[in-house]
Amino acid sequence: MALLELYTEYTRVWIPDAEHVWKSAEIVADFHVGDPHLELLLEDVTVHHYAVDSSNPKLPPLRNPDILVGENDLTALSYLHEPAVLHNLKVRFVESKIIYTYCGIILVAVNPYRQLHIYGDAVIHAYSGQNMGDMDPHIFAVAEEAYKQMARNHKNQSIIVSGESGAGKTVSARYVMRYFAVVSKSGSKTQVEDKVLASNPITEAIGNAKTTRNDNSSRFGKYTEIGFDRRNRIIGANMRTYLLEKSRVVFQAENERNYHIFYQMCSCMDLPEFKSLRLLSADRFQYTCMGGEISIEGVNDRKDMENTRRTFSMLGLKDDFQSDVFKVLAGILHLGNVEIRNVGSDKSSVSYSDPHLATFCELLGVPAEELVRWLCHRRIVLVAETVVKPVPRERAVNARDALAKQIYAHLFEFVIHKINTALKVPGKQNTFIGVLDIYGFETFDINSFEQFCINYANEKLQQQFNLHVFKLEQEEYMKEDIPWTLIDFYDNQPVIDLIEAKMGILDLLDEECLFPQGTDHNWLQKLYNYLESNPLFEKPRLSNEAFVIQHFADKVEYQCKGFLEKNRDALYEELVDTMRVSKFPLLAAFFHEEEQSTPTSKSFKVRPARPGVKAANKQLRTSVGDKFRSSLYLLMETLNATTPHYVRCIKPNDEKLPFEYDSRRVVQQLRACGVLETIHISAQSYPSRWTYIEFYSRYSILMTLQEGALNDKKQTCKTVLQRLIQDSNQYKFGRTKIFFRAGQVAYLEKLRLDRLRGACVVIQKHARGWSQRRKYRRMREAAIVLQEYIRGKRQIRKTVTAERLKQGWAALVIQTRWRGYRMRQIYQLVHLAAITIQAFTRGWIARKRYKTMMEEQKALILQKYARAWLVRRRFQTMRRLVLNVQLSYRVQQLRKKIEEQNKENRGLMERLTSLANSHSQGLERLQSLEAQLKKSANEKVSLEAKEKKAKEDAALATAQLQKQNDALLREKQNLEKEYDAHTKEAKDSFDQIKRTLQEEKEKEERLRKIAENNIEIQRQDHEKEVESLKEDIRRLKEEKVSLQRQIEERGQVTSELQDQVIQ
């Protein structure tokens, strides 16, 4: 069927619109070839005349049927064009709040700017093991498809996540890695999955920054290879980075920030471990306050710093390593604050007293004299001599900034290297899944070298993407046995040749960088001379400092200023030598020359799609452009050796509003990310594909009775389609699907809608006829009733007179009285009968209730006595058991107490024995004292003979001593008598206690056979006796103490007597 035949009344189309890009309209009248315009009705009910060229009519794109609006796969739309894609994404995103949509092999992810609860572990397990089309579009579905193909085919996979800044690339890549970590838990002690996820906060801290478009924009490309073993479990990871934006270290545009790590460090400057770095607030460092933004709304830099340090520790990077990294970062901040002054017009100087200079040199171990000298001077090597020449302030500032950029770039590579080392675990890698988080196509008001490299990388990725989509289309046709026809699609190889081929843009840039006096202007003139004939290269009309390249997405104008400096990435050799002699080992290692080995892939060998461009000499190989080109070739080799999966992230608006859809911004990104190119490739062949079952269930309404009676549904579909669409080139029959060209499904929908519309008209006709007939019958019945009423009134007026009215009234009165009398009599009889019946009924009910109550009362009494007897019986049984248990327990307790008392008695006997021994020892000491007294008496006699003069005094002293001795002897005798009495009394008491205990034991044996009431009395008696025994023992102890005191006092008196005798 011709496409022009679809432009009929009620058909909806899309027309261009300045505000919304495209807007919907409805055709008012059928369009015929030769009509000068197409009459349309807009959604605001205004009529619009769309001009049409009669010689070559270009009609507006047709709108898809409502059944296809909101499809989760854009390639399922009947009309595949830009407005259909734009509208379908808007319906899903704004109305259904769905952020994911398939476009063939691409997953389109629109940033919602809001946290959605669709990424939990439950969702991950729901998508695990499912086919890609079985569930709604999701980033986990793409990850599961890659994981499943890797496990099934044992082939490496790649997931390419791209989009412009702020579209959600980093978050999407993070969710992909989290999915792999959850579904492939290894259970090993290395916890490699946690380490892979822990690397994200570190790379975001040192590689992400706030821009005008995104608060957490990745300023580098990252390709993460997640390795798996033969059991499809994660065993490690490796990370490759591309094109770090070094210029951000020394310059930020308005409302932008430097890398997050600097602000995290400044927020923690008061911590003890950061005191030695002498940090200030971020607004006092030149490198962190250029953009005027030092904080981000909703972001706590101090907490982020804690998270960064915690992830460093999780990866095994200890405090010493972290301290070295923070020293380098603090040194960069202090280097930016080093003040360089003008000295005349062509000289510059740095004060040695500059505190930031001193801090930089102290932290990084750099000699201050050498650093100051080579910041403000440059060595020029001539043929016969070497000259040191001062440089102006501008060049000195550039040298300082170049040094800061170089140090940060080395530090970035060093941290990435350490992360890769931490992510390596023992074991052999079988396969891997690579996650590429790379910048999308960029175009700004001012585009420089970074945007040129980014767009160059996107040209290479777009070429790889086009070839992959073309290959998948061919495989689908071969699978369904559809004849393959050549599909025409956009090939961007000429643009790539313009950039990287011999005498291309990069080649001419490297050539100009060889000349010491080379400038951006000279390089631009070479571009104009060599590339002017290339249709993809243009010279701006109003500028001599820019050039324009026609990329696959859009035309981009690049400003040539800074291209040579950024490509050279030059740093004075004198400054490099100064850094090499640093006493700080990490900084010195950054600048040591190392042999550069050609990077090769580890586990596979691939042949590049196109041979790389060889550099002309050694210096060219070190340029930034050449390095980036080499790393890009390596990336393309890796992607070509894997099965790619694509995720395109879309930024819906620039204000970061949740679920707000700006059609102009979205369509710009769709053109740049290859979604529309996929649709273009699909539209060139057979974009709409229906299974036979789907076609049969949807379009069975278009079948005739003979076609519907066939049992073979596949043959029925073929018969119906051949009858409805005469041109067999508009569709093809595959093994399991029917392939339609663009617009054919919409034509079938139109036929179906016409059939439904005709059926609706018939149904409406019969329904309206029935309704009108029903209404007519009701009106006729109402007219008959009115006629009867009016005719009755007329007849009454003719036949009724005054006398007959009086008679009739009197008859009515008599009838009323009589009927009232009869009704009262009947009522009284009925009332009396009702009362009698009620009385008998209530009596019978009362007697029955009484009888029931009596029966229940007797039963209750019987139950009461029976239950009481059972309870008493149970109580008696329990009491006997309890008494037996108590008796046994108490007997055991008494036995234990008797044994303890026997032990205590034995102890008392031992103590009494020891007291007797001590008493005998005291007696012996007294006897020895008596002997000494006798000896002293003899000495006294001899002394009296020798000393006659003192005879009277000695006699008196002797008499006194004799009296004291007699007193002591009497006291000793009294003490012996008391001791014997007490000992005898204690012995008698002990024998009495022993006999008592023996009697108690015998009583206990007899008490077992006596009644239970005597047990308590015996226990009380026993306790009293035990208490009396304890009292006796306590009294004996006190007497023992008193005896000991008396013995001690007597010993003291004896010693005093001896002293007096000696005197």
Side-chain angles (χ1 to χ4, degrees):
M1 177 184 180
L3 189 63
L4 293 177
E5 297 180 13
L6 296 175
Y7 289 85
T8 58
E9 187 179 3
Y10 305 119
T11 301
R12 290 178 296 177
V13 296
W14 295 103
I15 59 175
D17 182 66
E19 181 179 358
H20 300 97
V21 186
W22 298 93
K23 63 180 179 181
S24 178
E26 185 177 296
I27 299 177
V28 177
D30 294 351
F31 176 79
H32 302 285
V33 179
D35 291 348
H37 61 265
L38 183 65
E39 189 174 354
L40 302 174
L41 181 66
L42 302 180
E43 291 182 343
D44 57 359
V45 200
T46 59
V47 178
H48 174 73
H49 294 282
Y50 185 85
V52 179
D53 187 0
S54 58
S55 60
N56 185 18
K58 291 185 178 180
L59 297 173
L62 292 169
R63 183 169 172 174
N64 283 291
D66 291 338
I67 185 179
L68 299 178
V69 175
E71 279 284 334
N72 58 13
D73 192 344
L74 297 177
T75 58
L77 300 176
S78 179
Y79 299 118
L80 285 174
H81 42 60
E82 183 178 287
V85 172
L86 201 63
H87 178 66
N88 199 73
L89 289 176
K90 182 177 181 180
V91 169
R92 290 176 62 82
F93 182 70
V94 178
E95 297 180 8
S96 303
K97 298 294 187 292
I98 300 174
I99 66 173
Y100 293 114
T101 306
Y102 291 131
C103 180
I105 62 171
I106 299 176
L107 177 69
V108 180
V110 186
N111 193 343
Y113 289 113
R114 180 186 293 172
Q115 290 292 334
L116 302 180
H117 302 289
I118 57 173
Y119 302 105
D121 289 348
V123 180
I124 291 178
H125 294 303
Y127 276 88
S128 178
Q130 301 293 328
N131 293 324
M132 192 167 179
D134 293 345
M135 300 186 71
D136 292 336
H138 201 287
I139 188 69
F140 292 159
V142 177
E144 171 61 23
E145 184 68 17
Y147 183 76
K148 187 166 54 180
Q149 289 192 22
M150 178 202 68
R152 183 175 61 241
N153 303 329
H154 301 288
K155 186 177 180 182
N156 300 322
Q157 309 288 314
S158 289
I159 299 178
I160 303 172
V161 184
S162 64
E164 71 172 42
S165 179
K169 304 186 299 296
T170 302
V171 176
S172 297
R174 192 187 307 158
Y175 283 134
V176 169
M177 289 190 284
R178 178 169 170 264
Y179 182 87
F180 295 143
V182 173
V183 300
S184 62
K185 275 291 184 183
S186 63
S188 64
K189 296 181 180 179
T190 58
Q191 297 178 343
V192 65
E193 299 89 352
D194 298 334
K195 290 184 178 181
V196 171
L197 296 179
S199 64
N200 288 323
I202 299 176
T203 56
E204 289 181 12
I206 64 176
N208 288 26
K210 179 186 183 300
T211 65
T212 55
R213 294 187 175 185
N214 185 11
D215 290 343
N216 189 33
S217 176
S218 298
R219 308 316 300 162
F220 68 103
K222 180 175 66 174
Y223 184 71
T224 305
E225 290 183 0
I226 303 174
F228 296 85
D229 58 13
R230 292 188 177 276
R231 300 176 64 183
N232 302 318
R233 298 183 304 185
I234 294 179
I235 63 167
N238 184 63
M239 191 185 308
R240 279 186 270 165
T241 60
Y242 304 93
L243 199 66
L244 174 69
E245 187 183 11
K246 294 187 290 185
S247 60
R248 181 167 293 273
V249 177
V250 300
F251 174 77
Q252 304 95 45
E254 187 177 358
N255 297 327
E256 292 191 355
R257 293 205 321 174
N258 207 325
Y259 291 105
H260 296 323
I261 189 66
F262 292 116
Y263 302 91
Q264 294 175 8
M265 289 176 57
C266 291
S267 66
C268 299
M269 62 181 180
D270 56 338
L271 296 179
E273 53 266 36
F274 289 93
K275 289 288 186 181
S276 61
L277 304 181
R278 302 175 191 173
L279 293 170
L280 307 173
S281 61
D283 57 352
R284 297 177 63 184
F285 282 115
Q286 179 69 18
Y287 285 165
T288 55
C289 66
M290 285 186 180
E293 292 282 341
I294 62 171
S295 62
I296 302 174
E297 184 179 357
V299 175
N300 189 328
D301 290 319
R302 194 180 183 97
K303 288 186 177 179
D304 288 346
M305 187 61 178
E306 295 175 1
N307 189 28
T308 301
R309 297 179 66 187
R310 184 168 56 254
T311 51
F312 267 127
S313 301
M314 185 180 296
L315 290 174
L317 306 177
K318 302 301 181 183
D319 293 341
D320 294 340
F321 170 83
Q322 298 179 37
S323 177
D324 291 346
V325 171
F326 295 147
K327 278 185 180 179
V328 175
L329 293 170
I332 293 173
L333 291 178
H334 287 290
L335 179 62
N337 276 22
V338 172
E339 185 178 359
I340 301 176
R341 300 187 182 92
N342 269 325
V343 180
S345 60
D346 58 350
K347 294 183 180 180
S348 59
S349 68
V350 177
S351 174
Y352 286 101
S353 61
D354 190 324
H356 295 285
L357 175 66
T359 304
F360 173 81
C361 295
E362 179 184 346
L363 289 175
L364 302 186
V366 177
E369 298 80 4
E370 292 294 317
L371 178 63
V372 170
R373 181 185 182 189
W374 296 118
L375 279 177
C376 302
H377 296 79
R378 185 181 178 188
R379 179 188 294 147
I380 300 175
V381 180
L382 302 177
V383 177
E385 60 179 346
T386 300
V387 179
V388 177
K389 178 183 178 182
V391 296
R393 179 181 181 278
E394 182 180 359
R395 297 190 67 178
V397 170
N398 290 339
R400 180 197 66 185
D401 293 344
L403 177 60
K405 291 189 291 184
Q406 197 71 17
I407 292 175
Y408 191 83
H410 283 306
L411 178 66
F412 181 82
E413 294 174 358
F414 174 70
V415 172
I416 295 298
H417 172 71
K418 286 294 184 181
I419 292 175
N420 288 335
T421 304
L423 294 179
K424 289 181 181 178
V425 296
K428 184 178 180 182
Q429 176 178 304
N430 183 42
T431 53
F432 71 83
I433 298 179
V435 181
L436 178 63
D437 175 8
I438 198 166
Y439 16 66
F441 186 85
E442 288 188 354
T443 172
F444 301 114
D445 294 335
I446 299 177
N447 301 287
S448 187
F449 182 73
E450 289 84 4
Q451 282 70 42
F452 174 78
C453 292
I454 288 171
N455 294 339
Y456 167 46
N458 277 272
E459 288 285 357
K460 298 287 288 185
L461 290 172
Q462 183 65 24
Q463 183 185 48
Q464 190 268 348
F465 169 74
N466 289 344
L467 294 175
H468 183 68
V469 172
F470 183 83
K471 179 181 177 182
L472 288 181
E473 285 287 312
Q474 184 178 9
E475 290 177 353
E476 179 73 12
Y477 290 163
M478 294 177 64
K479 178 181 176 182
E480 294 288 334
D481 289 340
I482 302 296
W484 172 252
T485 56
L486 184 62
I487 297 177
D488 182 23
F489 65 95
Y490 175 74
D491 185 8
N492 59 346
Q493 185 61 46
V495 182
I496 297 174
D497 292 338
L498 172 67
I499 296 173
E500 68 178 16
K502 187 176 182 180
M503 300 307 290
I505 294 175
L506 286 178
D507 197 28
L508 294 173
L509 180 62
D510 290 341
E511 180 181 299
E512 188 65 22
C513 288
L514 288 175
F515 299 103
Q517 302 301 323
T519 62
D520 295 324
H521 183 72
N522 292 339
W523 170 66
L524 185 62
Q525 291 302 319
K526 288 184 180 180
L527 293 183
Y528 291 159
N529 295 334
Y530 285 100
L531 304 176
E532 186 177 7
S533 60
N534 194 314
L536 301 175
F537 181 88
E538 296 179 11
K539 177 183 178 182
R541 295 180 180 179
L542 303 178
S543 175
N544 290 324
E545 297 182 352
F547 61 94
V548 178
I549 297 179
Q550 177 64 57
H551 289 285
F552 74 93
D554 198 1
K555 285 186 178 181
V556 181
E557 180 177 324
Y558 298 99
Q559 300 295 325
C560 70
K561 183 179 179 180
F563 261 72
L564 259 69
E565 179 186 351
K566 293 176 181 178
N567 187 53
R568 284 173 178 157
D569 198 19
L571 184 64
Y572 293 155
E573 189 65 26
E574 295 78 16
L575 286 175
V576 173
D577 293 337
T578 303
M579 297 299 110
R580 287 173 183 165
V581 298
S582 169
K583 296 179 181 179
F584 186 44
L586 181 61
L587 182 66
F590 286 167
F591 291 90
H592 282 160
E593 290 185 353
E594 296 179 357
E595 294 183 359
Q596 300 293 328
S597 59
T598 303
T600 57
S601 55
K602 298 178 180 179
S603 56
F604 53 86
K605 295 181 180 180
V606 294
R607 179 177 295 175
R610 187 174 176 274
V613 179
K614 294 184 178 180
N617 53 51
K618 184 177 181 180
Q619 291 181 347
L620 279 178
R621 294 195 191 101
T622 61
S623 67
V624 174
D626 190 70
K627 289 179 181 178
F628 183 69
R629 178 168 48 186
S630 300
S631 62
L632 196 58
Y633 276 124
L634 178 61
L635 176 63
M636 289 298 104
E637 289 178 359
T638 303
L639 295 180
N640 290 331
T642 62
T643 302
H645 307 266
Y646 300 93
V647 179
R648 296 292 190 253
C649 299
I650 302 296
K651 185 177 182 180
N653 60 80
D654 290 329
E655 291 76 21
K656 304 173 186 176
L657 300 175
F659 288 104
E660 290 291 331
Y661 191 85
D662 185 353
S663 299
R664 289 177 295 181
R665 288 288 291 116
V666 173
V667 76
Q668 180 185 4
Q669 296 171 74
L670 290 175
R671 293 167 182 168
C673 69
V675 173
L676 297 180
E677 187 64 26
T678 305
I679 292 172
H680 173 71
I681 293 176
S682 299
Q684 290 293 318
S685 54
Y686 299 93
S688 301
R689 297 157 193 184
W690 291 61
T691 64
Y692 288 100
I693 300 299
E694 292 172 345
F695 182 86
Y696 187 90
S697 61
R698 179 69 181 172
Y699 299 111
S700 58
I701 192 174
L702 300 177
M703 299 177 185
T704 61
L705 294 176
Q706 293 78 9
E707 292 169 345
L710 297 176
N711 295 327
D712 189 354
K713 293 184 179 180
K714 185 174 181 179
Q715 184 60 40
T716 302
C717 294
K718 291 181 179 181
T719 305
V720 172
L721 202 53
Q722 290 171 355
R723 175 173 57 83
L724 296 176
I725 302 177
Q726 304 298 325
D727 187 359
S728 60
N729 192 37
Q730 300 299 318
Y731 57 88
K732 294 293 181 182
F733 297 108
R735 292 183 176 180
T736 61
K737 298 178 183 178
I738 306 175
F739 291 70
F740 296 94
R741 290 199 181 274
Q744 300 308 307
V745 172
Y747 170 67
L748 292 174
E749 285 293 320
K750 179 179 179 300
L751 295 179
R752 182 177 180 273
L753 188 62
D754 292 342
R755 177 66 62 86
L756 291 174
R757 186 180 290 110
C760 288
V761 169
V762 173
I763 293 172
Q764 288 175 350
K765 178 184 70 174
H766 288 284
R768 288 170 181 170
W770 174 81
S771 178
Q772 290 297 325
R773 286 192 295 274
R774 184 181 179 187
K775 184 178 179 181
Y776 167 74
R777 285 195 295 269
R778 289 181 178 177
M779 291 176 64
R780 183 172 178 275
E781 291 173 357
I784 291 173
V785 171
L786 289 174
Q787 288 175 356
E788 291 177 351
Y789 180 76
I790 293 172
R791 288 170 182 169
K793 285 289 186 181
R794 289 178 180 176
Q795 187 64 30
I796 289 171
R797 288 176 182 175
K798 291 179 180 179
T799 57
V800 175
T801 59
E803 184 179 357
R804 303 192 72 171
L805 286 173
K806 288 180 180 180
Q807 292 176 356
W809 177 253
L812 285 175
V813 172
I814 295 170
Q815 289 175 354
T816 299
R817 300 293 182 182
W818 172 251
R819 288 173 181 166
Y821 169 76
R822 293 295 301 167
M823 289 306 297
R824 283 192 294 273
Q825 284 187 337
I826 294 171
Y827 169 74
Q828 290 174 358
L829 290 174
V830 172
H831 182 263
L832 181 61
I835 290 174
T836 304
I837 293 171
Q838 287 177 353
F840 281 100
T841 303
R842 289 169 179 167
W844 176 78
I845 292 173
R847 288 189 296 274
K848 185 177 180 181
R849 188 180 302 160
Y850 172 76
K851 186 177 179 181
T852 304
M853 290 174 62
M854 289 297 293
E855 293 175 353
E856 292 178 353
Q857 182 66 21
K858 292 176 181 179
L860 288 173
I861 293 171
L862 292 174
Q863 290 175 354
K864 179 179 71 173
Y865 283 107
R867 288 171 180 169
W869 178 79
L870 291 173
V871 169
R872 285 193 298 273
R873 183 179 178 185
R874 190 180 301 113
F875 170 73
Q876 292 171 357
T877 304
M878 291 297 294
R879 187 175 64 178
R880 283 196 298 273
L881 293 173
V882 169
L883 290 175
N884 290 334
V885 172
Q886 289 178 348
L887 178 60
S888 301
Y889 175 74
R890 289 167 181 168
V891 169
Q892 290 177 0
Q893 292 297 107
L894 287 174
R895 283 180 178 175
K896 290 181 180 178
K897 288 181 180 180
I898 290 169
E899 291 176 357
E900 292 175 358
Q901 193 64 46
N902 290 335
K903 291 179 181 178
E904 189 173 357
N905 291 336
R906 285 194 295 271
L908 289 174
M909 287 297 294
E910 292 175 356
R911 290 176 185 174
L912 289 173
T913 304
S914 63
L915 286 174
N917 293 332
S918 62
H919 178 65
S920 61
Q921 291 175 0
L923 290 176
E924 290 176 356
R925 283 196 297 271
L926 287 174
Q927 291 175 358
S928 64
L929 287 174
E930 288 176 355
Q932 290 176 1
L933 285 174
K934 289 178 181 180
K935 185 178 180 180
S936 64
N938 295 331
E939 291 176 355
K940 176 184 175 184
V941 173
S942 63
L943 287 172
E944 286 176 355
K946 292 178 182 179
E947 297 178 2
K948 294 178 181 180
K949 293 180 180 180
K951 185 176 180 180
E952 294 178 0
D953 296 335
L956 181 62
T958 303
Q960 290 176 355
L961 289 173
Q962 187 64 33
K963 289 179 182 180
Q964 291 177 0
N965 191 17
D966 294 339
L968 289 173
L969 289 173
R970 287 192 298 271
E971 188 176 356
K972 175 185 175 184
Q973 291 173 358
N974 293 332
L975 289 173
E976 287 178 351
K977 290 178 181 180
E978 290 178 1
Y979 177 77
D980 293 337
H982 287 307
T983 304
K984 184 177 181 181
E985 185 180 356
K987 186 176 181 181
D988 294 340
S989 177
F990 177 76
D991 294 336
Q992 181 65 28
I993 291 170
K994 187 174 181 181
R995 287 193 299 272
T996 304
L997 290 174
Q998 188 66 28
E999 291 174 359
E1000 289 294 334
K1001 184 175 180 182
E1002 294 174 356
K1003 288 180 181 179
E1004 288 295 333
E1005 291 177 356
R1006 289 195 301 271
L1007 283 174
R1008 292 180 188 175
K1009 303 175 183 179
I1010 302 174
E1012 298 167 352
N1013 295 331
N1014 296 330
I1015 295 176
E1016 186 66 25
I1017 298 172
Q1018 290 176 359
R1019 185 180 63 80
Q1020 293 176 357
D1021 294 340
H1022 180 69
E1023 288 178 354
K1024 290 178 181 180
E1025 291 174 358
V1026 171
E1027 289 177 359
S1028 63
L1029 181 60
K1030 289 182 179 178
E1031 288 293 332
D1032 293 338
I1033 293 170
R1034 191 181 304 110
R1035 182 167 50 79
L1036 289 173
K1037 289 181 179 178
E1038 291 175 355
E1039 292 175 355
K1040 176 184 175 183
V1041 172
S1042 64
L1043 287 173
Q1044 289 177 351
R1045 287 177 184 172
Q1046 290 175 2
I1047 292 170
E1048 290 175 357
E1049 290 174 357
R1050 190 165 56 187
Q1052 187 176 1
V1053 171
T1054 305
S1055 62
E1056 290 175 356
L1057 288 173
Q1058 289 176 356
D1059 294 338
Q1060 291 176 3
V1061 170
I1062 292 170
Q1063 291 176 359

